[in-house]
Amino acid sequence: MRIAVPNKGRLHEPTIDLLERAGLHLENGADRQLYADTVDPDVSVLFARAADIPEYVADGAADMGITGYDQVREAQVTDVAELLDLEFGRCRLVLAAPEDGSITSVADLAGGTVATEFPNVTREFFAERGLEPNVVEVTGATELTPHVEISDAIVDITSTGTTLKMNRLGIIEEVLSSSVRLFAREDVREEPKIQEVRTALASVKQAEGKRYLMMNVPEDRLDDVRDVIPGLGGPTVMDIANGGGEKVAVHAVVDERAVFETITDVKQAGASDILVTEIERLVE
Ligand SMILES: Nc1ncnc2c1ncn2[C@@H]1O[C@H](COP(=O)(O)OP(=O)(O)OP(=O)(O)O)[C@@H](O)[C@H]1O
Ligand SMILES: O=P(O)(O)OC[C@H]1O[C@H](OP(=O)(O)OP(=O)(O)O)[C@H](O)[C@@H]1O
Ligand SMILES: [Mg+2]
C-alpha cells in the first residue's frame, strides 16, 4: 500500500508530522527522495507535488493520498473517495478583483478574463452561474495579473488575507473552502491496510485538544467526583495496590478547555494527587 504525500511547500511538514504522530515513522526518506519506507513493511510513501497527488492516486501510482481539497477538486478525479478531513491547510479559494476597479460582482465578469492556478474549478464556478469568462491559467503570482492587464479578476487561495490586501484586491465571492484530506482510490478503499492507516490518522486527530486526567479518590467520595467529570464515556475506576481499599484511582479523558474547571471541581469533591497528561492517540 502506497500513500502519496506533498514533497515540498507548506503541506509537506505538517503531513510528515502527522504520519509520525500516527506511528507511521518514515525510514530511508532523505530529502529529494521519491519514495520512503515506513516502520510498517506494508506501507510506503511517495513524495509528489500537492497538485499531482489526486492524479497519482487515481492512476494507481499510489493507493492513498494526502493533499488539499482544492487540489482534489481541480484534478477532477472521479474514482477516489475521501476518507478523512485532516483539518489543517485551511484556506479559501476566492474570486477577487482590484479594490478600486469596475468589477464588483460575479456577473461583471461576463466577457472578462480571470487568471488562476485552478482553471477547472474556476470554469465550473462560472458555468454554474451561466457565465463563461476567458480563463487564463498561471502557475504563480496570480495576484499580480490584474495590475499588469493580463486579467480583470483572479481566483486564488487566501487564508490570512495578507496577500490580497498587499495587492489591493477585494474578495467578490468564495469559490470553495479547503483543508487537507486523506483519500483513497475507490477500488481499494475498503482494504484492511487502508482502513488501518485511516484509523491511525483519525486517532491523532481524536487526541488533539484532549487531556488525560488521573487522580486518587476516597471510595466514599467516588460518586461526587464522578458527577463533576465531563466528557468521553464514564471515567475508569481502579483499585490502588496496597491502597488499603480506602482510595481508588480515577482516570478520564477530558476536553482541554474543560481541564481547568474540572481540576477545581474534582479537588473540591475530594480527589487528590491529580495528574494531567497529553494524549498521543485515541482510538474510539
Ligand atoms: N495560504 C495558505 N493557507 C493555507 N493553506 C494553503 C495556503 N496556500 C496553499 N495552501 C494549501 O496548500 C496546498 C499547496 O500549496 P503550496 O503553496 O504548499 O504548494 P504549491 O504552491 O502547490 O507548491 P509548488 O507549486 O511550489 O509545488 C494548496 O493547494 C492549499 O490546499
Ligand atoms: O491569505 P494569505 O495568508 O496571504 O495566503 C495566500 C497566499 O498563500 C499562497 O501562496 P504561498 O505562500 O504558498 O506561495 P506560492 O505562491 O509560492 O505558492 C497563495 O497562493 C496565496 O498567494
Ligand atoms: Mg503555494
Side-chain angles (χ1 to χ4, degrees):
M1 208 284 300
R2 183 169 288 155
I3 178 164
V5 307
N7 61 348
K8 61 191 177 79
R10 63 177 71 224
L11 301 185
H12 174 73
E13 260 193 49
T15 303
I16 302 302
D17 181 57
L18 178 67
L19 291 175
E20 293 281 344
R21 284 188 289 150
L24 275 170
H25 173 67
L26 266 55
E27 291 169 341
N28 319 318
D31 261 3
R32 307 272 150 203
Q33 208 162 297
L34 195 54
Y35 297 107
D37 296 324
T38 72
V39 281
D40 185 331
D42 295 327
V43 181
S44 65
V45 168
L46 165 67
F47 294 110
R49 284 194 58 213
D52 294 334
I53 290 174
E55 198 62 54
Y56 284 3
V57 174
D59 288 352
D63 305 294
M64 313 175 82
I66 296 179
T67 194
Y69 175 67
D70 53 345
Q71 302 293 359
V72 180
R73 283 285 301 276
E74 179 59 22
Q76 296 189 315
V77 284
T78 50
D79 37 9
V80 305
E82 185 176 315
L83 302 182
L84 200 59
D85 186 348
L86 298 171
E87 295 170 348
F88 62 94
R90 276 190 195 285
C91 57
R92 297 190 301 151
L93 209 54
V94 295
L95 174 67
E99 275 167 356
D100 46 9
S102 58
I103 310 280
T104 56
S105 73
V106 179
D108 291 339
L109 285 155
T113 300
V114 181
T116 184
E117 289 183 55
F118 297 84
N120 293 327
V121 173
T122 300
R123 280 195 197 97
E124 218 171 88
F125 171 81
F126 283 103
E128 278 166 12
R129 287 154 183 80
L131 297 173
E132 208 178 322
N134 179 29
V135 175
V136 175
E137 183 172 0
V138 294
T139 55
T142 315
E143 292 93 346
L144 280 179
T145 61
H147 300 297
V148 291
E149 274 142 50
I150 287 174
S151 72
D152 301 307
I154 63 167
V155 167
D156 200 15
I157 289 169
T158 183
S159 55
T160 63
T162 313
T163 312
L164 289 178
K165 197 179 258 173
M166 262 173 34
N167 290 283
R168 303 185 314 281
L169 299 169
I171 296 176
I172 293 173
E173 209 164 303
E174 177 175 308
V175 174
L176 63 80
S177 104
S178 180
S179 58
V180 172
R181 311 288 162 89
L182 172 74
F183 53 93
R185 210 169 43 258
E186 285 284 4
D187 63 334
V188 293
R189 65 175 294 185
E190 299 297 342
E191 293 210 354
K193 197 41 97 180
I194 288 189
Q195 290 305 318
E196 217 177 282
V197 171
R198 197 201 85 89
T199 302
L201 297 184
S203 72
V204 174
K205 303 308 294 177
Q206 276 295 331
E208 279 174 7
K210 303 274 193 334
R211 293 289 181 271
Y212 198 62
L213 229 60
M214 295 173 265
M215 66 203 82
N216 293 335
V217 179
E219 226 162 351
D220 58 352
R221 306 294 301 274
L222 185 56
D223 285 343
D224 297 338
V225 169
R226 221 196 272 268
D227 283 348
V228 295
I229 294 181
L232 279 178
T236 307
V237 180
M238 287 158 285
D239 286 333
I240 301 173
N242 307 321
E246 292 134 27
K247 278 190 178 181
V248 290
V250 174
H251 292 193
V253 176
V254 172
D255 202 280
E256 186 184 10
R257 288 163 301 189
V259 166
F260 184 79
E261 205 182 324
T262 304
I263 288 176
T264 312
D265 291 349
V266 295
K267 204 162 184 308
Q268 219 156 37
S272 62
D273 310 310
I274 303 164
L275 284 179
V276 185
T277 69
E278 293 197 359
I279 304 172
E280 265 184 39
R281 278 176 255 162
L282 180 65
V283 183
E284 283 189 326

